[in-house]
């Protein structure tokens, strides 16, 4: 099921995201984050009016996607970034589609 994110999803989202920090270079982050930081990131995206959705199976978040502003400079005002992350164990199940 796809639905809008809720703050209570932050722990599941953090676990998914931290895998990509630890095991890949795609995030450009080098230090894992905690749930409080993810909560702040979710709130910032939602407060800006951008979508943040999760894919859920049996009450567990298995993937998520969001849109946010690409850069803060005025020249990038209409430029957005889309991010999609899927639980490492669900990558071949079609969740990212």
């Amino acid at each position: 099921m796809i639905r809008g994110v809720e703050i209570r999803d932050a722990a599941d989202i953090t676990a998914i995201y931290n895998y990509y920090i630890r095991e890949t270079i795609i995030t450009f982050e080098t230090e894992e984050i905690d749930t409080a930081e993810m909560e702040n990131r979710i709130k910032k995206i939602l407060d800006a009016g951008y979508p943040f959705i999760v894919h859920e199976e049996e009450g567990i978040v298995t993937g998520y996607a969001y849109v946010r502003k690409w850069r803060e400079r005025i020249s990038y005002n209409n430029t957005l970034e889309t991010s999609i992350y899927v639980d490492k164990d669900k990558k071949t199940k079609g969740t990212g589609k």
Side-chain angles (χ1 to χ4, degrees):
M1 169 176 80
I2 296 174
R3 62 170 174 77
V5 71
E6 297 176 9
I7 294 301
R8 68 180 171 86
D9 299 321
D12 289 339
I13 291 169
T14 302
I16 292 169
Y17 187 62
N18 279 340
Y19 164 80
Y20 289 95
I21 293 174
R22 273 192 320 273
E23 303 296 332
T24 75
I25 59 170
I26 66 171
T27 70
F28 297 121
E29 293 199 63
T30 58
E31 301 293 323
E32 292 184 34
I33 65 169
D34 61 18
T35 301
E37 173 61 22
M38 185 56 74
E39 289 173 355
N40 290 333
R41 293 179 185 193
I42 292 168
K43 288 176 188 173
K44 185 175 180 180
I45 290 166
L46 294 178
D47 288 347
Y50 297 123
F52 196 128
I53 59 173
V54 297
H55 181 268
E56 178 182 82
E57 292 178 7
E58 299 177 10
I60 299 170
V61 174
T62 59
Y64 65 96
Y66 61 88
V67 175
R68 69 177 181 170
K69 202 173 200 179
W70 171 246
R71 301 257 189 224
E72 296 300 319
R73 294 188 179 139
I74 193 74
S75 295
Y76 294 104
N77 238 15
N78 297 316
T79 306
L80 302 175
E81 170 187 29
T82 303
S83 295
I84 300 171
Y85 288 91
V86 177
D87 182 297
K88 66 179 177 59
D89 297 323
K90 303 289 184 179
K91 289 194 288 189
T92 62
K93 308 284 189 226
T95 301
K97 291 181 183 181

